[in-house]
Amino acid sequence: GENVEQHPSTLSVQEGDSAVIKCTYSDSASNYFPWYKQELGKGPQLIIDIRSNVGEKKDQRIAVTLNKTAKHFSLHITETQPEDSAVYFCAASTGNQFYFGTGTSLTVIP
Amino acid sequence: DTAVSQTPKYLVTQMGNDKSIKCEQNLGHDTMYWYKQDSKKFLKIMFSYNNKELIINETVPNRFSPKSPDKAHLNLHINSLELGDSAVYFCASSQGLAGAWDSGELFFGEGSRLTVL
């Protein structure tokens, strides 16, 4: 089955700086890569996703890149704000089920 | 107007007891899931139902039994609770199968924190 690895497990940045979280996957059949944000005491919520037919997608301060050849994808958050502090999960799917990464706890220091 | 709601939010019980967690979605989705999140935040799929039919049943002890009376509800019953069952259990739903084109976004509930003493 699919194996998704996520790094780093924890990340601290100063407010205003950028944050990058990286994931790799093993199954070349995976074609959908969402990113979820989980705030304290809440369920994960989709923030951005990318399909295998594009290499990059941007939504305001958040962007995701995908390298199908290397089987890795990354989440980029620019101009970080304290409200970006949360646990972020990457995931990969072949269209049947999601395989989640192990999560990154992001802390934005004011 | 909660999209995916699960009850109870907190559950504290003794080893050996039986407990249930209920989940309802009002999004009209066809597929529902149960995920377990352990203390290290790792999200692991347990079960998935599509139109009341079980489609994913990961390696989960048979003390865990899901029940889907209709496609808007997916309940989780746990028998003979053990210490290792302590975790946060998330219900989720999606229109189509997970990751399916244009219909695979997962919507999560707020979680049910189970503590077994």
Side-chain angles (χ1 to χ4, degrees):
Chain A
E2 175 67 279
N3 181 41
V4 178
E5 295 190 357
Q6 181 172 347
H7 300 281
S9 56
T10 60
L11 180 60
S12 290
V13 298
Q14 292 288 336
E15 182 177 356
D17 287 350
S18 295
V20 180
I21 302 170
K22 298 182 178 182
C23 288
T24 60
Y25 61 100
S26 60
D27 190 343
S28 56
S30 289
N31 57 13
Y32 175 59
F33 306 92
W35 286 87
Y36 283 81
K37 175 183 181 182
Q38 185 178 18
E39 296 177 344
L40 198 61
K42 304 277 188 183
Q45 190 168 11
L46 180 73
I47 54 171
I48 195 167
D49 56 11
I50 191 166
R51 301 254 174 212
S52 57
N53 59 341
V54 297
E56 185 172 357
K57 184 176 178 180
K58 191 174 181 181
D59 182 3
Q60 299 182 356
R61 296 185 298 107
I62 294 173
V64 59
T65 58
L66 170 66
N67 182 326
K68 285 193 299 181
T69 304
K71 296 199 191 72
H72 65 72
F73 56 114
S74 301
L75 177 71
H76 303 253
I77 307 175
T78 58
E79 300 171 24
T80 53
Q81 300 167 3
E83 51 265 37
D84 295 328
S85 295
V87 178
Y88 291 81
F89 292 94
C90 64
S93 171
T94 57
N96 187 24
Q97 68 164 303
F98 287 112
Y99 297 87
F100 282 90
T102 47
T104 297
S105 178
L106 172 65
T107 302
V108 179
I109 304 163
Chain B
D1 269 25
T2 307
V4 181
S5 58
Q6 46 184 118
T7 55
K9 193 172 173 70
Y10 299 97
L11 194 50
V12 181
T13 189
Q14 298 286 332
M15 264 197 323
N17 284 351
D18 303 338
K19 290 293 177 188
S20 292
I21 306 172
K22 295 185 176 182
C23 179
E24 176 182 3
Q25 54 95 4
N26 63 5
L27 297 166
H29 287 170
D30 290 337
T31 310
M32 295 186 72
Y33 313 79
W34 278 109
Y35 281 85
K36 179 180 179 181
Q37 187 172 49
D38 61 22
S39 58
K40 294 183 179 178
K41 299 291 186 183
F42 186 57
L43 273 168
K44 183 176 168 54
I45 184 128
M46 301 174 69
F47 303 103
S48 172
Y49 272 74
N50 180 261
N51 279 316
K52 301 194 299 175
E53 182 180 340
L54 180 67
I55 55 170
I56 293 174
N57 184 358
E58 291 293 302
T59 307
V60 175
N62 57 15
R63 298 182 295 104
F64 290 79
S65 53
K67 281 196 171 56
S68 182
D70 55 62
K71 72 174 194 178
H73 295 84
L74 180 62
N75 304 322
L76 183 65
H77 188 75
I78 315 170
N79 288 328
S80 304
L81 278 157
E82 300 178 357
L83 293 176
D85 297 332
S86 295
V88 180
Y89 292 85
F90 284 100
C91 178
S93 72
S94 62
Q95 177 57 51
L97 294 177
W101 200 270
D102 288 335
S103 65
E105 178 184 346
L106 276 180
F107 291 80
F108 283 87
E110 299 223 321
S112 297
R113 180 176 293 278
L114 171 64
T115 303
V116 182
L117 304 175

